[in-house]
Amino acid sequence: MFQILLTYFKIIQYQICYYFLGIFAVLDDLKNRDKNKLEIISKPGKVAVITGGARGIGLEVVKKLVQCEMHVIIGCRNVKAGQRIIRQHITSNASIEIYELDLKSFTSVKSFAQQVLQNHDQIHLLVNNAGVMFVPFELCEDGYEAHWTINYLSHFLLTELLLPALKRSSSTNEHARIINVSSCAHEASPLINFGSISNSHTYITNAAYAKSKLAQIMSTKYYNKILANTNVQAFAVHPGIVNTELFNGTLLKMTMPWILSYICKTPEEGSRSVVYACISPKLEGRGGYYANCQSAKNLPYADDEETQKKLYDTSMVMIKHFLID
């Protein structure tokens, strides 16, 4: 009984935390609306890989990368549905490929990466965009909780698999870039307990989502350390509070769906910071955490170097079998 009451108390605590984080994030978006802008830059011949590029923010990112004349490779669960959406929203002369990718499965992630590398020896940009939010507890195919797997760990695996190509494709004048689409929700995360990442007994969906977003930022910062002597740099981006399908099933969407169009960014507005991190020449050699097309502050815990390394080492153990040919 005590454990149940404690869990309910924590759920309420996280809901209150999210409420205030949301208010401050919306106010920040409004305050910095005039800064949330970017210039489209021509990058013919460059190859971009993006997960979840057939809906929401991802689709808007693809539209902008196409405007940059980049070749875009999209990973999504349903290829036929993805192709249909791309045909509806993007001109037929755009250079786009779509491959199957299920982020619940490390086998699928490896298969996707192999397809990409078989057809392209160079990759200049990786956008880890796809994700889930506030889903019920689920252990994915490889035994890890869904938020952790989909939002963070599968993208970590994909990054490791494509990293050699990113290194080959970079130059001193133009770094290859890794973009992790994160969230200000990372500020609500508990400290990462590496011994019980997928523990169903203490599962709180809000906390699990926040933890996966914190892991993205910590991983981004650690990659910038270990890649310092290469021409690859990493960014984590908070796109803002955006009205996308991620809100489906949330209390706010079920009770007051109309309010989202008033307080949230559109997917197009949310895509701007992501694409800014992808292409802006101002960010050469300046990886880190960004929001509204400018450098942003993250939870101080994310800067702890010892925890960053522990996260990296733990993640490598979790995916190591899929790094072997």
Side-chain angles (χ1 to χ4, degrees):
M1 178 62 72
F2 175 76
Q3 186 61 47
I4 294 174
L5 290 174
L6 182 61
T7 300
Y8 278 126
F9 174 76
K10 287 183 177 179
I11 290 172
I12 294 171
Q13 188 178 35
Y14 276 110
Q15 288 176 338
I16 293 172
C17 183
Y18 268 95
Y19 175 77
F20 283 104
L21 271 176
I23 290 175
F24 287 122
V26 168
L27 292 175
D28 188 66
D29 287 344
L30 293 172
K31 176 185 175 183
N32 292 290
R33 179 172 287 176
D34 61 329
K35 296 178 181 177
N36 189 43
K37 298 176 181 178
L38 77 151
E39 178 184 355
I40 295 296
I41 299 169
S42 181
K43 290 183 175 289
K46 302 297 184 183
V47 177
V49 176
I50 179 171
T51 66
R55 64 176 186 173
I57 294 173
L59 177 60
E60 297 301 326
V61 170
V62 170
K63 289 179 183 179
K64 290 179 172 61
L65 296 181
V66 165
Q67 290 178 40
C68 296
E69 302 176 77
M70 299 182 78
H71 176 75
V72 182
I73 303 167
I74 299 172
C76 63
R77 283 178 298 173
N78 188 324
V79 172
K80 289 185 178 179
Q83 290 171 335
R84 183 174 64 251
I85 292 168
I86 292 300
R87 284 196 300 268
Q88 292 172 349
H89 294 274
I90 297 179
T91 58
S92 58
N93 61 346
S95 183
I96 295 176
E97 295 174 84
I98 303 179
Y99 302 148
E100 183 179 352
L101 173 63
D102 181 358
L103 291 169
K104 289 185 177 182
S105 165
F106 293 167
T107 299
S108 178
V109 173
K110 184 166 185 175
S111 176
F112 171 76
Q114 288 174 331
Q115 278 189 284
V116 172
L117 294 172
Q118 283 169 5
N119 295 317
H120 302 274
D121 60 353
Q122 288 201 328
I123 299 168
H124 304 89
L125 178 64
L126 170 61
V127 186
N128 293 319
N129 163 74
V132 293
M133 183 172 75
F134 305 161
V135 295
F137 181 81
E138 176 188 359
L139 288 179
C140 294
E141 181 177 289
D142 301 279
Y144 303 107
E145 186 272 327
H147 288 98
W148 185 258
T149 300
I150 297 168
N151 295 350
Y152 168 65
L153 197 55
S154 283
H155 283 125
F156 179 84
L157 172 59
L158 181 60
T159 299
E160 285 294 316
L161 291 169
L162 298 184
L163 192 54
L166 287 160
K167 289 178 178 178
R168 285 196 304 270
S169 311
S170 62
S171 68
T172 305
N173 296 327
E174 189 169 5
H175 286 62
R177 299 187 184 187
I178 302 163
I179 314 297
N180 293 313
V181 180
S182 188
S183 171
C184 68
H186 80 276
E187 296 184 49
S189 175
L191 303 184
I192 299 176
N193 183 343
F194 292 98
S196 60
I197 285 173
S198 297
N199 192 340
S200 62
H201 299 297
T202 58
Y203 181 76
I204 299 173
T205 184
N206 310 64
Y209 174 73
K211 182 173 66 178
S212 69
K213 293 301 175 180
L214 173 63
Q216 285 181 310
I217 294 175
M218 296 183 79
S219 176
T220 297
K221 289 174 174 286
Y222 193 69
Y223 267 121
N224 281 324
K225 290 183 177 72
I226 63 177
L227 297 174
N229 294 323
T230 73
N231 294 317
V232 180
Q233 60 191 91
F235 299 83
V237 180
H238 166 53
I241 307 300
V242 184
N243 187 6
T244 69
E245 292 179 17
L246 284 181
F247 276 100
N248 289 353
T250 63
L251 181 63
L252 186 62
K253 188 71 172 272
M254 291 187 292
T255 57
M256 295 185 292
W258 52 270
I259 200 172
L260 293 174
S261 61
Y262 289 98
I263 66 173
C264 296
K265 288 180 177 178
T266 65
E268 188 282 320
E269 290 170 329
S271 72
R272 295 176 192 175
S273 282
V274 179
V275 179
Y276 178 75
C278 290
I279 66 172
S280 175
K282 297 178 182 178
L283 300 186
E284 280 297 323
R286 297 178 57 193
Y289 180 52
Y290 287 80
N292 287 309
C293 299
Q294 56 190 327
S295 181
K297 292 182 179 180
N298 52 258
L299 191 70
Y301 174 68
D303 294 315
D304 184 82
E305 294 186 18
E306 184 177 338
T307 309
Q308 289 173 3
K309 185 179 187 307
K310 188 169 185 178
L311 172 65
Y312 178 84
D313 292 343
T314 301
S315 301
M316 288 295 285
V317 170
M318 290 175 170
I319 65 164
K320 64 180 179 181
H321 296 301
F322 293 88
L323 297 178
I324 302 171
D325 292 328

